[in-house]
Amino acid sequence: MDLGTIVAMGAGAAGAVVAAPLVVSALGFTAGGIAAGSIASSVMSAAAVANGGGVVAGGAVAVLQSVGAAGLSVAGQAVVAATGAAVAGAVECLTSSCG
């Protein structure tokens, strides 16, 4: 692994941890609840219809609302950082001559 890939992975990890709460909030999962007319409200509606009127505890909607309300947990930050690093490393590798 070359230095460029390592730097890209570090930037991807840090960028993903910073961006994740901003993206979740922009989708409409906010500290005050799900924003009316947002993508989050559409997703919640679809999830409720699919599950007979309720949103599943621990499901995607519940997790995203939790992130919107309270931010990422330490475990969540680790998952997002690892994902960001993997994606950035793969993109850097694909656009250079590695592998």
Side-chain angles (χ1 to χ4, degrees):
M1 185 178 316
D2 68 355
L3 181 61
T5 302
I6 294 169
V7 170
M9 291 175 71
V17 170
V18 170
L22 300 174
V23 170
V24 168
S25 179
L27 292 174
F29 296 98
T30 69
I34 292 179
S38 66
I39 292 171
S41 67
S42 297
V43 171
M44 186 179 89
S45 176
V49 168
N51 292 301
V55 174
V56 177
V61 172
V63 169
L64 289 169
Q65 181 51 45
S66 176
V67 171
L72 286 170
S73 65
V74 172
Q77 289 177 11
V79 169
V80 169
T83 303
V87 169
V91 168
E92 199 282 330
C93 188
L94 290 171
T95 58
S96 69
S97 61
C98 79

Short mmCIF file of all heavy atoms in Angstrom, two decimals:
data_model
loop_
_atom_site.label_atom_id
_atom_site.label_comp_id
_atom_site.label_asym_id
_atom_site.label_seq_id
_atom_site.Cartn_x
_atom_site.Cartn_y
_atom_site.Cartn_z
N MET A 1 0.86 -1.17 0.00
CA MET A 1 0.00 0.00 0.00
C MET A 1 0.90 1.23 0.00
O MET A 1 1.79 1.36 0.83
CB MET A 1 -0.90 -0.04 1.23
CG MET A 1 -1.91 1.08 1.27
SD MET A 1 -3.06 1.06 2.68
CE MET A 1 -3.56 -0.63 2.82
N ASP A 2 0.63 2.14 -0.91
CA ASP A 2 1.48 3.33 -1.00
C ASP A 2 0.96 4.46 -0.13
O ASP A 2 -0.14 4.40 0.43
CB ASP A 2 1.63 3.78 -2.46
CG ASP A 2 0.35 4.31 -3.08
OD1 ASP A 2 -0.71 4.26 -2.42
OD2 ASP A 2 0.41 4.79 -4.22
N LEU A 3 1.75 5.50 0.01
CA LEU A 3 1.42 6.63 0.87
C LEU A 3 0.13 7.32 0.44
O LEU A 3 -0.68 7.72 1.28
CB LEU A 3 2.58 7.64 0.90
CG LEU A 3 2.37 8.86 1.78
CD1 LEU A 3 2.15 8.45 3.24
CD2 LEU A 3 3.54 9.81 1.67
N GLY A 4 -0.09 7.44 -0.88
CA GLY A 4 -1.31 8.08 -1.37
C GLY A 4 -2.56 7.36 -0.91
O GLY A 4 -3.56 7.99 -0.54
N THR A 5 -2.53 6.05 -0.93
CA THR A 5 -3.68 5.26 -0.48
C THR A 5 -3.91 5.44 1.02
O THR A 5 -5.05 5.58 1.47
CB THR A 5 -3.48 3.77 -0.81
OG1 THR A 5 -3.28 3.63 -2.22
CG2 THR A 5 -4.67 2.94 -0.40
N ILE A 6 -2.82 5.46 1.78
CA ILE A 6 -2.94 5.64 3.23
C ILE A 6 -3.53 7.01 3.56
O ILE A 6 -4.42 7.13 4.40
CB ILE A 6 -1.57 5.44 3.90
CG1 ILE A 6 -1.13 3.98 3.75
CG2 ILE A 6 -1.60 5.86 5.38
CD1 ILE A 6 0.31 3.71 4.15
N VAL A 7 -3.05 8.04 2.87
CA VAL A 7 -3.58 9.39 3.09
C VAL A 7 -5.05 9.46 2.69
O VAL A 7 -5.88 10.03 3.42
CB VAL A 7 -2.75 10.44 2.31
CG1 VAL A 7 -3.42 11.81 2.32
CG2 VAL A 7 -1.34 10.52 2.89
N ALA A 8 -5.40 8.86 1.56
CA ALA A 8 -6.80 8.86 1.11
C ALA A 8 -7.69 8.15 2.13
O ALA A 8 -8.80 8.61 2.43
CB ALA A 8 -6.91 8.19 -0.25
N MET A 9 -7.21 7.04 2.67
CA MET A 9 -8.01 6.31 3.65
C MET A 9 -8.21 7.12 4.93
O MET A 9 -9.31 7.14 5.49
CB MET A 9 -7.35 4.97 3.95
CG MET A 9 -7.41 4.00 2.78
SD MET A 9 -6.52 2.45 3.07
CE MET A 9 -7.59 1.68 4.28
N GLY A 10 -7.18 7.81 5.38
CA GLY A 10 -7.31 8.66 6.56
C GLY A 10 -8.29 9.79 6.33
O GLY A 10 -9.14 10.09 7.18
N ALA A 11 -8.18 10.43 5.17
CA ALA A 11 -9.10 11.52 4.84
C ALA A 11 -10.52 11.00 4.71
O ALA A 11 -11.48 11.66 5.15
CB ALA A 11 -8.65 12.20 3.55
N GLY A 12 -10.67 9.83 4.11
CA GLY A 12 -12.00 9.24 3.97
C GLY A 12 -12.63 8.92 5.31
O GLY A 12 -13.82 9.16 5.53
N ALA A 13 -11.84 8.40 6.22
CA ALA A 13 -12.33 8.07 7.56
C ALA A 13 -12.78 9.33 8.30
O ALA A 13 -13.89 9.40 8.83
CB ALA A 13 -11.25 7.34 8.36
N ALA A 14 -11.92 10.33 8.32
CA ALA A 14 -12.24 11.58 9.03
C ALA A 14 -13.42 12.30 8.37
O ALA A 14 -14.33 12.77 9.05
CB ALA A 14 -11.02 12.49 9.05
N GLY A 15 -13.39 12.35 7.05
CA GLY A 15 -14.48 13.02 6.33
C GLY A 15 -15.83 12.36 6.55
O GLY A 15 -16.85 13.04 6.72
N ALA A 16 -15.84 11.04 6.58
CA ALA A 16 -17.10 10.33 6.77
C ALA A 16 -17.67 10.57 8.16
O ALA A 16 -18.88 10.77 8.32
CB ALA A 16 -16.88 8.83 6.54
N VAL A 17 -16.81 10.59 9.17
CA VAL A 17 -17.28 10.83 10.55
C VAL A 17 -17.85 12.24 10.69
O VAL A 17 -18.87 12.45 11.35
CB VAL A 17 -16.16 10.57 11.58
CG1 VAL A 17 -16.56 11.05 12.97
CG2 VAL A 17 -15.80 9.09 11.60
N VAL A 18 -17.23 13.21 10.03
CA VAL A 18 -17.73 14.59 10.09
C VAL A 18 -19.01 14.73 9.27
O VAL A 18 -19.97 15.38 9.70
CB VAL A 18 -16.66 15.58 9.58
CG1 VAL A 18 -17.23 16.97 9.40
CG2 VAL A 18 -15.48 15.60 10.55
N ALA A 19 -19.05 14.11 8.10
CA ALA A 19 -20.18 14.29 7.19
C ALA A 19 -21.43 13.53 7.59
O ALA A 19 -22.55 13.99 7.31
CB ALA A 19 -19.76 13.89 5.78
N ALA A 20 -21.28 12.38 8.21
CA ALA A 20 -22.45 11.52 8.49
C ALA A 20 -23.58 12.24 9.23
O ALA A 20 -24.73 12.20 8.78
CB ALA A 20 -22.02 10.26 9.22
N PRO A 21 -23.31 12.90 10.35
CA PRO A 21 -24.42 13.58 11.04
C PRO A 21 -25.03 14.72 10.21
O PRO A 21 -26.24 14.97 10.29
CB PRO A 21 -23.77 14.14 12.31
CG PRO A 21 -22.53 13.36 12.49
CD PRO A 21 -22.07 12.96 11.12
N LEU A 22 -24.21 15.37 9.42
CA LEU A 22 -24.73 16.45 8.57
C LEU A 22 -25.66 15.90 7.50
O LEU A 22 -26.72 16.48 7.22
CB LEU A 22 -23.57 17.22 7.92
CG LEU A 22 -22.58 17.88 8.88
CD1 LEU A 22 -21.41 18.47 8.12
CD2 LEU A 22 -23.28 18.94 9.71
N VAL A 23 -25.28 14.78 6.91
CA VAL A 23 -26.11 14.15 5.88
C VAL A 23 -27.41 13.64 6.48
O VAL A 23 -28.49 13.85 5.91
CB VAL A 23 -25.34 13.01 5.18
CG1 VAL A 23 -26.24 12.19 4.27
CG2 VAL A 23 -24.16 13.57 4.40
N VAL A 24 -27.33 13.00 7.63
CA VAL A 24 -28.52 12.48 8.30
C VAL A 24 -29.49 13.62 8.61
O VAL A 24 -30.69 13.51 8.38
CB VAL A 24 -28.13 11.69 9.57
CG1 VAL A 24 -29.35 11.38 10.43
CG2 VAL A 24 -27.42 10.41 9.19
N SER A 25 -28.96 14.71 9.11
CA SER A 25 -29.80 15.88 9.41
C SER A 25 -30.41 16.48 8.14
O SER A 25 -31.58 16.85 8.12
CB SER A 25 -28.97 16.94 10.14
OG SER A 25 -29.75 18.07 10.42
N ALA A 26 -29.61 16.56 7.07
CA ALA A 26 -30.12 17.11 5.81
C ALA A 26 -31.24 16.25 5.23
O ALA A 26 -32.12 16.76 4.54
CB ALA A 26 -28.98 17.23 4.80
N LEU A 27 -31.22 14.96 5.52
CA LEU A 27 -32.29 14.07 5.06
C LEU A 27 -33.59 14.29 5.83
O LEU A 27 -34.64 13.86 5.39
CB LEU A 27 -31.87 12.61 5.18
CG LEU A 27 -30.76 12.15 4.24
CD1 LEU A 27 -30.33 10.73 4.58
CD2 LEU A 27 -31.21 12.24 2.79
N GLY A 28 -33.49 14.94 7.01
CA GLY A 28 -34.68 15.23 7.79
C GLY A 28 -34.77 14.51 9.12
O GLY A 28 -35.76 14.61 9.82
N PHE A 29 -33.73 13.78 9.49
CA PHE A 29 -33.67 13.14 10.80
C PHE A 29 -33.00 14.14 11.74
O PHE A 29 -31.78 14.22 11.79
CB PHE A 29 -32.87 11.83 10.73
CG PHE A 29 -33.49 10.78 9.86
CD1 PHE A 29 -33.06 10.60 8.55
CD2 PHE A 29 -34.52 9.97 10.32
CE1 PHE A 29 -33.61 9.62 7.74
CE2 PHE A 29 -35.08 8.99 9.51
CZ PHE A 29 -34.63 8.81 8.22
N THR A 30 -33.79 14.91 12.48
CA THR A 30 -33.25 16.03 13.26
C THR A 30 -33.40 15.80 14.76
O THR A 30 -34.10 14.88 15.19
CB THR A 30 -33.97 17.34 12.88
OG1 THR A 30 -35.31 17.28 13.35
CG2 THR A 30 -33.97 17.57 11.38
N ALA A 31 -32.78 16.67 15.54
CA ALA A 31 -32.87 16.59 16.99
C ALA A 31 -34.31 16.77 17.47
O ALA A 31 -34.70 16.22 18.51
CB ALA A 31 -31.96 17.64 17.63
N GLY A 32 -35.11 17.49 16.72
CA GLY A 32 -36.50 17.72 17.09
C GLY A 32 -37.46 16.68 16.53
O GLY A 32 -38.68 16.82 16.68
N GLY A 33 -36.94 15.65 15.88
CA GLY A 33 -37.80 14.63 15.28
C GLY A 33 -37.67 14.65 13.77
O GLY A 33 -36.85 15.39 13.21
N ILE A 34 -38.48 13.85 13.13
CA ILE A 34 -38.43 13.77 11.68
C ILE A 34 -39.13 14.99 11.09
O ILE A 34 -40.26 15.31 11.44
CB ILE A 34 -39.05 12.46 11.20
CG1 ILE A 34 -38.15 11.30 11.63
CG2 ILE A 34 -39.26 12.46 9.69
CD1 ILE A 34 -38.62 9.93 11.26
N ALA A 35 -38.45 15.69 10.19
CA ALA A 35 -38.96 16.92 9.60
C ALA A 35 -40.07 16.62 8.60
O ALA A 35 -39.93 15.73 7.75
CB ALA A 35 -37.82 17.68 8.92
N ALA A 36 -41.15 17.35 8.70
CA ALA A 36 -42.28 17.18 7.79
C ALA A 36 -41.86 17.48 6.36
O ALA A 36 -41.12 18.42 6.09
CB ALA A 36 -43.42 18.10 8.21
N GLY A 37 -42.32 16.65 5.43
CA GLY A 37 -42.04 16.87 4.01
C GLY A 37 -40.64 16.51 3.58
O GLY A 37 -40.26 16.77 2.44
N SER A 38 -39.87 15.89 4.45
CA SER A 38 -38.47 15.56 4.13
C SER A 38 -38.38 14.14 3.57
O SER A 38 -39.34 13.38 3.56
CB SER A 38 -37.61 15.66 5.38
OG SER A 38 -38.01 14.66 6.32
N ILE A 39 -37.17 13.82 3.11
CA ILE A 39 -36.90 12.44 2.68
C ILE A 39 -37.13 11.50 3.86
O ILE A 39 -37.68 10.41 3.71
CB ILE A 39 -35.47 12.33 2.12
CG1 ILE A 39 -35.36 13.11 0.80
CG2 ILE A 39 -35.06 10.87 1.93
CD1 ILE A 39 -33.95 13.24 0.27
N ALA A 40 -36.74 11.93 5.06
CA ALA A 40 -36.91 11.10 6.26
C ALA A 40 -38.39 10.78 6.48
O ALA A 40 -38.73 9.65 6.85
CB ALA A 40 -36.34 11.82 7.47
N SER A 41 -39.27 11.75 6.27
CA SER A 41 -40.69 11.47 6.48
C SER A 41 -41.21 10.48 5.45
O SER A 41 -42.05 9.63 5.78
CB SER A 41 -41.51 12.77 6.47
OG SER A 41 -41.50 13.37 5.19
N SER A 42 -40.72 10.55 4.23
CA SER A 42 -41.12 9.58 3.21
C SER A 42 -40.63 8.18 3.55
O SER A 42 -41.36 7.20 3.39
CB SER A 42 -40.57 10.00 1.84
OG SER A 42 -41.12 11.23 1.44
N VAL A 43 -39.39 8.11 4.02
CA VAL A 43 -38.82 6.81 4.40
C VAL A 43 -39.58 6.23 5.59
O VAL A 43 -39.90 5.04 5.63
CB VAL A 43 -37.31 6.94 4.71
CG1 VAL A 43 -36.74 5.68 5.32
CG2 VAL A 43 -36.55 7.33 3.46
N MET A 44 -39.89 7.07 6.57
CA MET A 44 -40.63 6.60 7.74
C MET A 44 -42.02 6.12 7.34
O MET A 44 -42.48 5.07 7.80
CB MET A 44 -40.76 7.69 8.79
CG MET A 44 -41.39 7.19 10.08
SD MET A 44 -41.55 8.45 11.36
CE MET A 44 -43.15 9.11 10.93
N SER A 45 -42.67 6.85 6.45
CA SER A 45 -43.99 6.45 5.98
C SER A 45 -43.95 5.10 5.28
O SER A 45 -44.77 4.22 5.55
CB SER A 45 -44.54 7.52 5.04
OG SER A 45 -45.78 7.10 4.50
N ALA A 46 -42.98 4.92 4.40
CA ALA A 46 -42.84 3.65 3.68
C ALA A 46 -42.55 2.50 4.64
O ALA A 46 -43.11 1.40 4.50
CB ALA A 46 -41.74 3.76 2.63
N ALA A 47 -41.71 2.76 5.64
CA ALA A 47 -41.39 1.72 6.62
C ALA A 47 -42.62 1.36 7.45
O ALA A 47 -42.85 0.18 7.74
CB ALA A 47 -40.25 2.19 7.53
N ALA A 48 -43.40 2.36 7.82
CA ALA A 48 -44.60 2.10 8.61
C ALA A 48 -45.62 1.30 7.80
O ALA A 48 -46.23 0.36 8.32
CB ALA A 48 -45.21 3.42 9.09
N VAL A 49 -45.81 1.64 6.55
CA VAL A 49 -46.74 0.90 5.69
C VAL A 49 -46.28 -0.54 5.54
O VAL A 49 -47.07 -1.49 5.63
CB VAL A 49 -46.88 1.59 4.31
CG1 VAL A 49 -47.61 0.70 3.32
CG2 VAL A 49 -47.60 2.93 4.46
N ALA A 50 -44.99 -0.74 5.32
CA ALA A 50 -44.44 -2.08 5.13
C ALA A 50 -44.54 -2.93 6.39
O ALA A 50 -44.58 -4.16 6.30
CB ALA A 50 -42.98 -1.99 4.68
N ASN A 51 -44.58 -2.28 7.55
CA ASN A 51 -44.61 -3.02 8.81
C ASN A 51 -45.95 -2.95 9.52
O ASN A 51 -46.03 -3.11 10.73
CB ASN A 51 -43.50 -2.49 9.74
CG ASN A 51 -42.13 -2.84 9.22
OD1 ASN A 51 -41.81 -4.00 9.06
ND2 ASN A 51 -41.33 -1.81 8.93
N GLY A 52 -47.00 -2.70 8.78
CA GLY A 52 -48.34 -2.71 9.37
C GLY A 52 -48.67 -1.52 10.24
O GLY A 52 -49.51 -1.61 11.12
N GLY A 53 -48.02 -0.40 10.03
CA GLY A 53 -48.37 0.82 10.74
C GLY A 53 -47.34 1.32 11.74
O GLY A 53 -47.49 2.42 12.27
N GLY A 54 -46.33 0.54 12.02
CA GLY A 54 -45.32 0.96 12.98
C GLY A 54 -43.92 0.94 12.40
O GLY A 54 -43.69 0.33 11.36
N VAL A 55 -43.03 1.60 13.07
CA VAL A 55 -41.62 1.59 12.66
C VAL A 55 -40.90 0.60 13.57
O VAL A 55 -41.04 0.64 14.78
CB VAL A 55 -41.00 3.00 12.79
CG1 VAL A 55 -39.52 2.97 12.52
CG2 VAL A 55 -41.71 3.96 11.84
N VAL A 56 -40.13 -0.30 12.98
CA VAL A 56 -39.43 -1.34 13.73
C VAL A 56 -38.33 -0.75 14.59
O VAL A 56 -37.49 0.01 14.11
CB VAL A 56 -38.83 -2.38 12.75
CG1 VAL A 56 -38.05 -3.45 13.49
CG2 VAL A 56 -39.91 -3.00 11.89
N ALA A 57 -38.35 -1.12 15.87
CA ALA A 57 -37.27 -0.71 16.77
C ALA A 57 -35.97 -1.33 16.28
O ALA A 57 -35.92 -2.52 15.96
CB ALA A 57 -37.57 -1.16 18.19
N GLY A 58 -34.92 -0.53 16.19
CA GLY A 58 -33.64 -1.02 15.72
C GLY A 58 -33.51 -1.05 14.21
O GLY A 58 -32.47 -1.40 13.68
N GLY A 59 -34.57 -0.68 13.50
CA GLY A 59 -34.54 -0.63 12.04
C GLY A 59 -33.83 0.62 11.55
O GLY A 59 -33.40 1.47 12.34
N ALA A 60 -33.74 0.74 10.25
CA ALA A 60 -33.00 1.85 9.65
C ALA A 60 -33.56 3.21 10.06
O ALA A 60 -32.81 4.13 10.39
CB ALA A 60 -32.99 1.72 8.12
N VAL A 61 -34.88 3.35 10.04
CA VAL A 61 -35.49 4.64 10.40
C VAL A 61 -35.18 4.98 11.85
O VAL A 61 -34.81 6.12 12.16
CB VAL A 61 -37.01 4.62 10.15
CG1 VAL A 61 -37.68 5.87 10.69
CG2 VAL A 61 -37.32 4.47 8.66
N ALA A 62 -35.31 4.01 12.73
CA ALA A 62 -35.04 4.26 14.15
C ALA A 62 -33.58 4.62 14.39
O ALA A 62 -33.26 5.54 15.15
CB ALA A 62 -35.42 3.04 14.97
N VAL A 63 -32.68 3.92 13.72
CA VAL A 63 -31.25 4.20 13.89
C VAL A 63 -30.90 5.58 13.36
O VAL A 63 -30.19 6.36 14.02
CB VAL A 63 -30.39 3.11 13.20
CG1 VAL A 63 -28.93 3.52 13.14
CG2 VAL A 63 -30.56 1.78 13.91
N LEU A 64 -31.40 5.91 12.17
CA LEU A 64 -31.11 7.23 11.61
C LEU A 64 -31.70 8.35 12.46
O LEU A 64 -31.07 9.40 12.63
CB LEU A 64 -31.63 7.32 10.17
CG LEU A 64 -30.84 6.48 9.16
CD1 LEU A 64 -31.57 6.43 7.83
CD2 LEU A 64 -29.44 7.02 8.99
N GLN A 65 -32.90 8.14 13.03
CA GLN A 65 -33.48 9.17 13.90
C GLN A 65 -32.66 9.32 15.16
O GLN A 65 -32.46 10.42 15.66
CB GLN A 65 -34.94 8.84 14.23
CG GLN A 65 -35.59 9.90 15.12
CD GLN A 65 -35.42 11.32 14.57
OE1 GLN A 65 -35.61 11.56 13.39
NE2 GLN A 65 -35.08 12.26 15.44
N SER A 66 -32.14 8.21 15.68
CA SER A 66 -31.28 8.28 16.85
C SER A 66 -30.01 9.08 16.56
O SER A 66 -29.58 9.90 17.37
CB SER A 66 -30.91 6.86 17.30
OG SER A 66 -30.01 6.89 18.36
N VAL A 67 -29.42 8.84 15.39
CA VAL A 67 -28.23 9.61 14.99
C VAL A 67 -28.58 11.08 14.84
O VAL A 67 -27.83 11.96 15.28
CB VAL A 67 -27.62 9.05 13.69
CG1 VAL A 67 -26.52 9.97 13.15
CG2 VAL A 67 -27.08 7.65 13.91
N GLY A 68 -29.73 11.37 14.24
CA GLY A 68 -30.16 12.75 14.07
C GLY A 68 -30.39 13.45 15.40
O GLY A 68 -30.11 14.64 15.55
N ALA A 69 -30.91 12.72 16.38
CA ALA A 69 -31.23 13.32 17.67
C ALA A 69 -30.01 13.41 18.59
O ALA A 69 -29.83 14.42 19.28
CB ALA A 69 -32.33 12.50 18.35
N ALA A 70 -29.19 12.36 18.61
CA ALA A 70 -28.12 12.30 19.60
C ALA A 70 -26.72 12.25 19.02
O ALA A 70 -25.73 12.32 19.75
CB ALA A 70 -28.34 11.09 20.51
N GLY A 71 -26.59 12.10 17.71
CA GLY A 71 -25.28 11.97 17.09
C GLY A 71 -24.84 10.53 17.05
O GLY A 71 -25.54 9.63 17.50
N LEU A 72 -23.67 10.29 16.50
CA LEU A 72 -23.13 8.94 16.38
C LEU A 72 -22.51 8.49 17.69
O LEU A 72 -21.80 9.25 18.34
CB LEU A 72 -22.05 8.90 15.30
CG LEU A 72 -22.48 8.96 13.85
CD1 LEU A 72 -21.27 9.15 12.94
CD2 LEU A 72 -23.21 7.68 13.47
N SER A 73 -22.77 7.25 18.06
CA SER A 73 -22.10 6.66 19.21
C SER A 73 -20.64 6.39 18.83
O SER A 73 -20.26 6.50 17.65
CB SER A 73 -22.78 5.34 19.59
OG SER A 73 -22.62 4.40 18.53
N VAL A 74 -19.84 5.99 19.78
CA VAL A 74 -18.44 5.66 19.50
C VAL A 74 -18.38 4.49 18.52
O VAL A 74 -17.59 4.50 17.57
CB VAL A 74 -17.66 5.35 20.80
CG1 VAL A 74 -16.27 4.82 20.50
CG2 VAL A 74 -17.58 6.60 21.67
N ALA A 75 -19.23 3.49 18.74
CA ALA A 75 -19.27 2.35 17.82
C ALA A 75 -19.72 2.79 16.44
O ALA A 75 -19.17 2.34 15.42
CB ALA A 75 -20.21 1.27 18.36
N GLY A 76 -20.70 3.68 16.38
CA GLY A 76 -21.16 4.21 15.10
C GLY A 76 -20.08 4.98 14.38
O GLY A 76 -19.92 4.87 13.16
N GLN A 77 -19.31 5.76 15.13
CA GLN A 77 -18.19 6.50 14.54
C GLN A 77 -17.16 5.55 13.96
O GLN A 77 -16.60 5.79 12.89
CB GLN A 77 -17.54 7.42 15.57
CG GLN A 77 -18.40 8.60 15.95
CD GLN A 77 -17.76 9.46 17.03
OE1 GLN A 77 -16.58 9.30 17.35
NE2 GLN A 77 -18.53 10.37 17.60
N ALA A 78 -16.90 4.44 14.66
CA ALA A 78 -15.93 3.47 14.18
C ALA A 78 -16.40 2.82 12.88
O ALA A 78 -15.61 2.66 11.94
CB ALA A 78 -15.69 2.40 15.25
N VAL A 79 -17.68 2.49 12.82
CA VAL A 79 -18.23 1.87 11.60
C VAL A 79 -18.17 2.85 10.43
O VAL A 79 -17.76 2.50 9.32
CB VAL A 79 -19.67 1.38 11.84
CG1 VAL A 79 -20.35 0.99 10.54
CG2 VAL A 79 -19.68 0.22 12.82
N VAL A 80 -18.58 4.09 10.68
CA VAL A 80 -18.57 5.10 9.62
C VAL A 80 -17.14 5.40 9.18
O VAL A 80 -16.86 5.52 7.98
CB VAL A 80 -19.29 6.39 10.09
CG1 VAL A 80 -19.06 7.54 9.13
CG2 VAL A 80 -20.79 6.12 10.24
N ALA A 81 -16.21 5.47 10.11
CA ALA A 81 -14.81 5.73 9.77
C ALA A 81 -14.23 4.59 8.93
O ALA A 81 -13.55 4.83 7.93
CB ALA A 81 -13.97 5.94 11.03
N ALA A 82 -14.52 3.36 9.33
CA ALA A 82 -14.01 2.21 8.57
C ALA A 82 -14.59 2.18 7.16
O ALA A 82 -13.88 1.90 6.19
CB ALA A 82 -14.34 0.91 9.31
N THR A 83 -15.86 2.48 7.06
CA THR A 83 -16.50 2.52 5.74
C THR A 83 -15.91 3.63 4.88
O THR A 83 -15.60 3.41 3.70
CB THR A 83 -18.02 2.71 5.88
OG1 THR A 83 -18.53 1.65 6.70
CG2 THR A 83 -18.72 2.69 4.54
N GLY A 84 -15.74 4.80 5.46
CA GLY A 84 -15.15 5.92 4.72
C GLY A 84 -13.73 5.62 4.27
O GLY A 84 -13.34 5.93 3.14
N ALA A 85 -12.97 4.98 5.13
CA ALA A 85 -11.59 4.62 4.78
C ALA A 85 -11.57 3.60 3.65
O ALA A 85 -10.78 3.71 2.70
CB ALA A 85 -10.86 4.08 5.99
N ALA A 86 -12.45 2.61 3.73
CA ALA A 86 -12.49 1.57 2.70
C ALA A 86 -12.89 2.14 1.35
O ALA A 86 -12.28 1.83 0.32
CB ALA A 86 -13.46 0.47 3.11
N VAL A 87 -13.90 2.99 1.34
CA VAL A 87 -14.36 3.59 0.08
C VAL A 87 -13.27 4.50 -0.50
O VAL A 87 -12.95 4.42 -1.70
CB VAL A 87 -15.68 4.37 0.29
CG1 VAL A 87 -16.01 5.21 -0.94
CG2 VAL A 87 -16.81 3.40 0.61
N ALA A 88 -12.68 5.35 0.34
CA ALA A 88 -11.64 6.25 -0.15
C ALA A 88 -10.42 5.47 -0.63
O ALA A 88 -9.85 5.81 -1.68
CB ALA A 88 -11.23 7.23 0.95
N GLY A 89 -10.04 4.43 0.06
CA GLY A 89 -8.91 3.61 -0.36
C GLY A 89 -9.18 2.92 -1.69
O GLY A 89 -8.31 2.87 -2.56
N ALA A 90 -10.39 2.40 -1.84
CA ALA A 90 -10.75 1.74 -3.09
C ALA A 90 -10.76 2.72 -4.27
O ALA A 90 -10.26 2.42 -5.34
CB ALA A 90 -12.11 1.07 -2.96
N VAL A 91 -11.34 3.90 -4.03
CA VAL A 91 -11.39 4.90 -5.11
C VAL A 91 -9.97 5.34 -5.49
O VAL A 91 -9.64 5.43 -6.67
CB VAL A 91 -12.24 6.12 -4.69
CG1 VAL A 91 -12.07 7.28 -5.65
CG2 VAL A 91 -13.70 5.71 -4.58
N GLU A 92 -9.13 5.58 -4.49
CA GLU A 92 -7.75 5.99 -4.78
C GLU A 92 -7.01 4.90 -5.54
O GLU A 92 -6.29 5.17 -6.50
CB GLU A 92 -7.03 6.33 -3.48
CG GLU A 92 -5.78 7.19 -3.65
CD GLU A 92 -4.57 6.41 -4.15
OE1 GLU A 92 -4.45 5.20 -3.85
OE2 GLU A 92 -3.72 7.00 -4.85
N CYS A 93 -7.23 3.67 -5.13
CA CYS A 93 -6.56 2.56 -5.78
C CYS A 93 -7.05 2.39 -7.22
O CYS A 93 -6.25 2.14 -8.13
CB CYS A 93 -6.82 1.29 -4.99
SG CYS A 93 -5.86 -0.13 -5.55
N LEU A 94 -8.34 2.52 -7.42
CA LEU A 94 -8.90 2.39 -8.78
C LEU A 94 -8.44 3.50 -9.71
O LEU A 94 -8.39 3.31 -10.93
CB LEU A 94 -10.42 2.33 -8.72
CG LEU A 94 -11.03 1.07 -8.12
CD1 LEU A 94 -12.53 1.23 -7.93
CD2 LEU A 94 -10.71 -0.15 -8.98
N THR A 95 -8.16 4.67 -9.15
CA THR A 95 -7.76 5.81 -10.00
C THR A 95 -6.24 5.93 -10.12
O THR A 95 -5.76 6.84 -10.79
CB THR A 95 -8.34 7.13 -9.44
OG1 THR A 95 -7.89 7.32 -8.11
CG2 THR A 95 -9.86 7.11 -9.48
N SER A 96 -5.51 5.03 -9.47
CA SER A 96 -4.06 5.04 -9.61
C SER A 96 -3.62 3.68 -10.14
O SER A 96 -4.42 2.90 -10.62
CB SER A 96 -3.40 5.33 -8.25
OG SER A 96 -3.58 4.25 -7.37
N SER A 97 -2.38 3.39 -10.02
CA SER A 97 -1.87 2.14 -10.59
C SER A 97 -1.66 1.05 -9.56
O SER A 97 -0.83 0.17 -9.75
CB SER A 97 -0.56 2.43 -11.33
OG SER A 97 0.39 2.93 -10.40
N CYS A 98 -2.40 1.07 -8.46
CA CYS A 98 -2.20 0.01 -7.48
C CYS A 98 -2.92 -1.27 -7.94
O CYS A 98 -3.91 -1.22 -8.66
CB CYS A 98 -2.69 0.44 -6.10
SG CYS A 98 -4.45 0.38 -5.83
N GLY A 99 -2.45 -2.37 -7.47
CA GLY A 99 -3.07 -3.66 -7.78
C GLY A 99 -2.96 -4.00 -9.18
O GLY A 99 -3.37 -4.79 -9.86
#
